[in-house]
Amino acid sequence: MKINPLYQMVICLLIVVVSITIYSLYGSKYQLAGLSIDPPVLFAKSKLTRPYAKQINDTITSQSKVVTEQLPTPPLAKINLYKKPIIIDTSQGQRILMIGESMIEGLYLSLRPIAFYHHHKLKAQIWYGSTSIEWSKNDTLRKVLLWFKPSLVMVSIGANELSVRDISKREANIVNIIKQLQGYRYIWIGPPNWKKDSGIGDVLEGNIPENQYFRSRDLKYKRRRDGAHPTLASAHVWADTLSNWIMMKSAYPINLIKKPMAVKDTTTKNLKP
Amino acid sequence: MEWWNALHSLFNYDEKSMMLFNSGHFLYLFSAFFLIYAFIYKNVTVRLCYVIAFSLLFYYKSSGWYLFILLFSVILDYWVALVIYKAKNRSTAKAWLVISLVANVGLLAYFKYTNFFISNFNLLSGGDIEPLDLFLPIGISFYTFQTISYVVDVYQGKLKPVRNILDYTFYMTFFPHLVAGPIVRAKDFLPQVRQPLCFSTAVMGEGLYLILKGLVKKAIIADYISQYVDLVFDNPKAYSGFENLMAVYAYTLQIYFDFSGYSDIAIGIALWLGYRLVWNFNRPYISKNITEFWRRWHISLSSWLRDYIYIPLGGNRKGVGKQYIFLMLTMLIGGLWHGPSWKFVAWGGLHGLALAIHKLYHRYIGQAVGNTILHQAFGGFVTFHWVALLWVFFRASDFNIASQIFTQIFTQMDLSFIQPFVQVRYVFVSVLLIGYLFVFIPNSWKKLAEHISVKLPILAKAVCLLLVIGFIISLTTDEVKPFIYFQF
C-alpha cells in the first residue's frame, strides 16, 4: 500500500520526535566514535541580544575611568616565511600552579574544564588582597612550589598595586619573586587594568621576558559591581585568550585547547574565599 | 508539573527563549502542527487560517506583542493596495502609495534607526539625548520590504491586488520566510496560495534534503566555527596575523552557512507544506567577479534593491556617470538595511565601489583581456578575498576592531604559526576545510545527494533526520545560537 508522501513525512517526523523524547528522558551518556554524547537538553535557551537597549553602566564606579591605551602601530613587517616553528607540548598531565591575588579566581574557574580535559593537574593558591610585598617577604611561594612541584606556574600579582606610589620598592619585590621562581617555568599574567596604573605594568614588562608576560590590559572586560574584577563571562574570554597566547606565543607552549565540541562545565565548584 | 511547565513554555513568549528552526521548541511545535496539517490541508480556508495561526504563534514566540506591528502592516497594505487599484487618477494612487511607504518605512526607521540617529546627533551637536530602550521586532526589515514590493507592484500595474485578506495575510505571515527571508515577491507566491496542493515523493524528498542540509550548515558547522571567530573578533590584538586571517576565513564561511542554512530550512519546510519559495543563494563564493557575486548572494534582497531602488532611480538609462551614482546609492542603502551603523554603510559603499570598478573594467578593458581560465581563476580569487575582507566590517563591533583585524593581518603575518595552529586546532581546521569543500563541490554531487534522499524509505529518512538532529542538540552548546540575519 503506497502512503501519501505527506503522511510519510509526518510519520518520519513523529518517529524522530518520539525517539528524541524517550532518549532525553531515559537515556544516558554514551560514547560514539570517541565523542561523549549526552542526552539532549530539550528547550535550550537562545540568546539574542537586544541591540538598542539603554547602556546601563553599573559595572564601573563613578571614581574609576577606563582609559584605553593605544598601542603604537607597528611598521609594515615583512612576511616571515621561515622562522623556527613553535612546538607545543601536547603531553597530558601537566602540573599547573596558579598563584596570586583574587584575579586568579575567574581564570581558575575558566581553565578548570580545559585542564580536566587534558588531564592536567591545576591548583590555585589565591591570597586575596595580596600584593608583591606579601609574596616577596613571606615564604608562601617557596613552600607551595616545593609542595606542588609544578611544571608551569601562572603568576597573577599586580592588580592591587595599580595606584601605588613606591614603584621602585615594588620593583624590588617583583625581582625577588622572580628569583624565587628560578628553576621553575613560569608565565606572569599582567593585571587587567580598569584604570591607568602608576607604573606597575611597565615594571612587570621591564623585568619579565616578553614570551613570559601576558598583557591582560590590552583586553576589554565587563566588570563586576566592584568595578575591578571581570565578570565570569569576561573571565572565560580572558582565559581563552590567555590559553591561546600560551600555546602560540609563550616560552612554554602546552596544550590548553578547549574540548573540541561542546564545553559543558559540570565540574566547576565555586571557591570559598 | 514539569510537563505542564514544558507545555506552557512552548506557547509562552520568553525574550530569552525565542523559537528558532534548530531549537527543541520548534521541533515539537512544528511536529504537532504538521500532523494536524496533513489532515486539514485539503480545505483551503481551514488550511490558510491554520497556517496563519501557527505563523502568528511563531512570530509571537520571537517578538512577543510586536506581532501587532506586523498585523498593522498587513492590514494597512492590503487595504491601501485595493484603494490604489480602484483609484480614479494617478495622483490619488500616488498619494496612497506615499502613505503606505511612509507608514512602513517609518515603522522600520523608528525601531531600527532611532538610536542610530540619536547617537549621530549627539556626536555632531555635543548633545546628551538618552537612547531609547527599543526592541527590534524580528524580521521587520524583511517583511517591510516584502509589503513595499506588493504595494509598488500594484501601483505600477504589474499585479492585481488580492481580494481576500486571508490570502494577503497568509503571504505576509507565512512562517518559513517571515523572520529572515527570502524576501518573497507577491507575484511568485500569491498564485500558489489557493492552488490545490500536490505532494510528490520528489518534492518531499527535496524538502527533507534541504532541511538536513540547512541544519548541518547552520547548527553544526556555522555554530562550531563561530566559537573561534568570537574569540578573535573580541580581541584581535591578542592574536597573530595568521590567526586573524583564519578568523576572517571562518567568518566568511560562518555567515554564508548561517544564512543559507536558514534559507534552506525555510525552503524545505515550505516544500513540505506544498509551497515553493525562491532560491536565495546560488554558490556565491565561486563568483568570478563582484557583479556575479551579487547575482548569487542574497538573491531576493539584491533583486529587490535592483527593482525598487536602482531601476526607479534611473538605472543605466540616464548616462554612465549617473549609473554609477545610482549604483553606489543602492549599495549604501543596502548596507544600511543590514544595520544601523556606519560600518554597514561602509560595507555597502565598498561593495558599491567594487561594482562600479568592475563595470568600468568590463567596459574598457575586459573585452581586450579576454576570458581565459587563468583570468577567471584570478578573478575568482580576488572576488572571494575582497568579499571575505569586507565581512570584517559586518562582524566587528566597531571600526576600531575592524582596523585592528586588518592591522594584525597585514603587519603581523607570521607563517610559522600555521603548524602549531593546525596541531592544536585540528578539529576547527577540519570543520573549516569540510565547510569550504561543501562550498566548492560540483552541483552534480549535490543533486546526487538530493536524489538519494528522495529514494530513501520512510524509516531511513527518519534515521537520517534523527541522526542529524540528535547530533546537533547533543554536540552543540547548551544555549541555542540565533541566526545572524535575525539582527537585521
Side-chain angles (χ1 to χ4, degrees):
Chain A
M1 186 183 77
K2 203 173 175 194
I3 308 174
N4 183 328
L6 176 62
Y7 298 140
Q8 284 184 30
M9 214 46 71
V10 171
I11 294 167
C12 173
L13 204 54
L14 284 174
I15 293 172
V16 168
V17 167
V18 167
S19 308
I20 288 176
T21 310
I22 292 171
Y23 180 56
S24 69
L25 290 172
Y26 305 110
S28 56
K29 200 192 294 197
Y30 70 88
Q31 296 275 338
L32 178 68
L35 293 168
S36 175
I37 314 257
D38 294 318
V41 175
L42 297 175
F43 310 119
K45 301 258 179 213
S46 82
K47 197 162 66 166
L48 186 72
T49 52
R50 293 175 59 168
Y52 315 118
K54 263 191 230 181
Q55 298 233 330
I56 301 160
N57 199 352
D58 62 353
T59 55
I60 297 179
T61 60
S62 53
Q63 283 99 10
S64 64
K65 283 179 191 171
V66 176
V67 175
T68 322
E69 203 176 303
Q70 294 291 331
L71 292 179
T73 312
L76 197 66
K78 285 183 199 167
I79 291 176
N80 197 339
L81 287 178
Y82 186 72
K83 192 173 148 182
K84 193 175 167 188
I86 300 154
I87 297 170
I88 297 175
D89 180 0
T90 54
S91 59
Q92 295 184 332
Q94 300 280 352
R95 297 176 68 80
I96 306 169
L97 175 67
M98 301 180 81
I99 63 124
E101 76 304 90
S102 53
M103 292 297 171
I104 291 270
E105 193 178 293
L107 283 174
Y108 171 76
L109 288 171
S110 307
L111 289 173
R112 254 192 78 149
I114 299 174
F116 181 78
Y117 175 63
H118 292 289
H119 303 286
H120 297 329
K121 217 168 176 72
L122 179 69
K123 286 282 178 207
Q125 184 76 24
I126 306 175
W127 192 341
Y128 292 89
S130 62
T131 65
S132 56
I133 298 173
E134 287 81 26
W135 287 98
S136 166
K137 303 286 185 231
N138 291 283
D139 64 350
T140 308
L141 178 57
R142 185 186 60 82
K143 281 182 179 163
V144 148
L145 290 172
L146 278 172
W147 163 69
F148 188 66
K149 297 180 185 46
S151 57
L152 180 69
V153 184
M154 293 189 190
V155 183
S156 173
I157 298 168
N160 291 320
E161 294 165 273
L162 296 187
S163 307
V164 297
R165 293 186 190 282
D166 54 344
I167 207 74
S168 51
K169 284 187 185 163
R170 306 292 168 147
E171 186 166 7
N173 292 326
I174 286 162
V175 169
N176 193 7
I177 294 169
I178 292 170
K179 267 197 190 134
Q180 291 184 51
L181 288 164
Q182 245 177 14
Y184 293 93
R185 303 182 336 161
Y186 76 92
I187 58 126
W188 199 296
I189 305 165
N193 286 34
W194 57 93
K195 58 184 176 182
K196 196 163 166 43
D197 63 66
S198 58
I200 195 73
D202 293 337
V203 159
L204 287 167
E205 283 187 55
N207 285 283
I208 300 167
E210 196 187 341
N211 59 2
Q212 286 178 255
Y213 181 75
F214 179 71
R215 260 182 84 106
S216 302
R217 60 178 164 172
D218 290 344
L219 312 182
K220 290 194 186 85
Y221 305 89
K222 286 199 171 85
R223 310 278 178 174
R224 292 192 222 159
R225 282 189 184 278
D226 62 8
H229 291 87
T231 59
L232 195 57
S234 269
H236 281 322
V237 177
W238 187 14
D240 280 340
T241 318
L242 171 67
S243 306
N244 192 75
W245 175 84
I246 290 173
M247 287 189 291
M248 297 294 180
K249 291 182 183 172
S250 78
Y252 310 111
I254 60 168
N255 197 350
L256 290 173
I257 198 78
K258 259 184 175 165
K259 190 174 159 189
M261 296 294 180
V263 177
K264 290 183 183 167
D265 184 7
T266 54
T267 61
T268 306
K269 287 180 194 154
N270 279 326
L271 297 175
K272 290 190 175 77
Chain B
M1 227 20 217
E2 219 178 281
W3 277 106
W4 172 249
N5 288 337
L7 201 64
H8 188 251
S9 78
L10 275 179
F11 292 95
N12 205 28
Y13 169 62
D14 180 357
E15 202 179 284
K16 290 180 187 149
S17 182
M18 53 180 293
M19 192 148 65
L20 302 169
F21 284 161
N22 55 326
S23 67
H25 283 107
F26 182 75
L27 177 66
Y28 280 85
L29 271 176
F30 179 74
S31 304
F33 160 82
F34 198 45
L35 176 64
I36 298 169
Y37 184 84
F39 293 102
I40 57 105
Y41 76 92
K42 286 181 180 162
N43 185 318
V44 176
T45 307
V46 171
R47 182 209 318 158
L48 295 188
C49 291
Y50 181 63
V51 175
I52 290 170
F54 185 78
S55 301
L56 293 177
L57 172 66
F58 181 83
Y59 193 76
Y60 170 72
K61 287 287 290 175
S62 309
S63 291
W65 297 111
Y66 287 96
L67 158 73
F68 288 104
I69 297 176
L70 167 65
L71 287 174
F72 169 77
S73 279
V74 168
I75 295 167
L76 172 76
D77 288 331
Y78 163 76
W79 182 70
V80 164
L82 283 171
V83 170
I84 287 173
Y85 186 69
K86 288 176 190 166
K88 290 187 178 141
N89 55 56
R90 204 77 186 139
S91 49
T92 312
K94 199 169 195 172
W96 282 108
L97 174 67
V98 168
I99 289 170
S100 167
L101 288 175
V102 164
N104 285 300
V105 175
L107 274 173
L108 177 64
Y110 173 71
F111 284 103
K112 199 164 176 176
Y113 301 106
T114 302
N115 287 331
F116 176 62
F117 292 134
I118 289 173
S119 63
N120 281 289
F121 177 80
N122 286 342
L123 203 67
L124 291 170
S125 65
D128 196 22
I129 304 173
E130 282 270 307
L132 303 179
D133 191 13
L134 291 171
F135 178 79
L136 182 69
I138 302 289
I140 190 169
S141 306
F142 291 92
Y143 71 68
T144 300
F145 271 27
Q146 203 162 285
T147 198
I148 288 173
S149 76
Y150 171 70
V151 175
V152 170
D153 283 352
V154 169
Y155 171 77
Q156 290 177 340
K158 289 180 187 168
L159 192 68
K160 282 192 181 149
V162 284
R163 299 286 171 174
N164 191 330
I165 193 166
L166 264 186
D167 292 17
Y168 187 66
T169 311
F170 184 87
Y171 157 63
M172 282 296 295
T173 62
F174 189 48
F175 72 92
H177 70 75
L178 176 59
V179 296
I183 300 170
V184 177
R185 305 281 185 99
K187 66 175 172 57
D188 296 323
F189 194 79
L190 283 172
Q192 298 183 62
V193 170
R194 287 187 178 264
Q195 73 178 12
L197 302 181
C198 177
F199 299 98
S200 68
T201 314
V203 165
M204 301 309 274
E206 187 188 348
L208 175 68
Y209 167 72
L210 287 170
I211 291 169
L212 289 175
K213 189 169 79 147
L215 286 172
V216 169
K217 277 158 93 172
K218 155 59 184 168
I220 298 178
I221 298 178
D223 282 358
Y224 178 72
I225 60 181
S226 72
Q227 294 175 68
Y228 177 73
V229 171
D230 290 348
L231 273 184
V232 176
F233 273 80
D234 272 343
N235 295 296
K237 277 195 174 140
Y239 297 87
S240 65
F242 174 74
E243 289 165 301
N244 275 270
L245 183 63
M246 292 307 289
V248 169
Y249 284 143
Y251 186 69
T252 302
L253 189 70
Q254 179 195 342
I255 191 167
Y256 172 49
F257 270 20
D258 192 288
F259 196 14
S260 67
Y262 180 92
S263 293
D264 287 343
I265 298 171
I267 296 168
I269 289 175
L271 282 174
W272 277 10
L273 300 179
Y275 298 94
R276 192 165 277 278
L277 301 179
V278 292
W279 291 109
N280 219 6
F281 294 89
N282 183 14
R283 307 174 76 208
Y285 290 152
I286 65 164
S287 303
K288 293 172 218 65
N289 54 65
I290 197 75
T291 306
E292 188 182 347
F293 173 78
W294 278 103
R295 285 195 199 119
R296 290 171 177 269
W297 176 272
H298 204 173
I299 297 167
S300 63
L301 175 69
S302 57
S303 59
W304 193 98
L305 291 170
R306 180 196 64 213
D307 294 340
Y308 298 102
I309 295 181
Y310 179 66
I311 290 174
L313 279 174
N316 58 6
R317 303 188 310 271
K318 297 193 176 176
V320 173
K322 280 192 175 168
Q323 180 189 10
Y324 294 135
I325 294 171
F326 299 149
L327 186 62
M328 186 59 100
L329 209 57
T330 305
M331 292 310 293
L332 286 171
I333 291 171
L336 196 59
W337 176 88
H338 282 86
S341 168
W342 289 115
K343 66 186 179 92
F344 290 113
V345 178
W347 173 81
L350 287 166
H351 268 284
L353 180 69
L355 282 165
I357 291 172
H358 178 251
K359 282 200 181 323
L360 273 168
Y361 167 83
H362 191 68
R363 184 189 284 272
Y364 297 113
I365 304 170
Q367 311 293 340
V369 170
N371 203 20
T372 60
I373 290 177
L374 194 65
H375 178 252
Q376 287 180 29
F378 180 71
F381 178 83
V382 168
T383 304
F384 175 80
H385 282 86
W386 176 253
V387 167
L389 287 172
L390 290 191
W391 283 134
V392 172
F393 291 104
F394 229 71
R395 176 60 182 82
S397 52
D398 50 44
F399 280 117
N400 185 35
I401 295 288
S403 90
Q404 284 179 26
I405 301 248
F406 292 131
T407 304
Q408 291 299 100
I409 290 173
F410 292 111
T411 66
Q412 300 295 315
M413 184 55 67
D414 186 346
L415 299 182
S416 66
F417 280 105
I418 296 178
Q419 187 264 329
F421 185 87
V422 173
Q423 184 185 0
V424 288
R425 294 190 190 276
Y426 57 92
V427 178
F428 166 80
V429 171
S430 306
V431 171
L432 198 64
L433 286 173
I434 289 168
Y436 273 110
L437 215 66
F438 278 150
V439 169
F440 293 111
I441 58 171
N443 250 345
S444 53
W445 294 18
K446 293 179 184 174
K447 286 285 172 201
L448 181 64
E450 189 183 317
H451 181 74
I452 292 170
S453 78
V454 167
K455 293 289 179 204
L456 286 174
I458 304 175
L459 207 55
K461 284 182 171 120
V463 168
C464 285
L465 198 53
L466 189 63
L467 279 175
V468 170
I469 293 175
F471 196 66
I472 289 165
I473 58 182
S474 291
L475 294 183
T476 50
T477 54
D478 280 341
E479 72 184 25
V480 179
K481 278 195 175 254
F483 292 93
I484 294 175
Y485 265 69
F486 270 25
Q487 63 186 305
F488 308 138

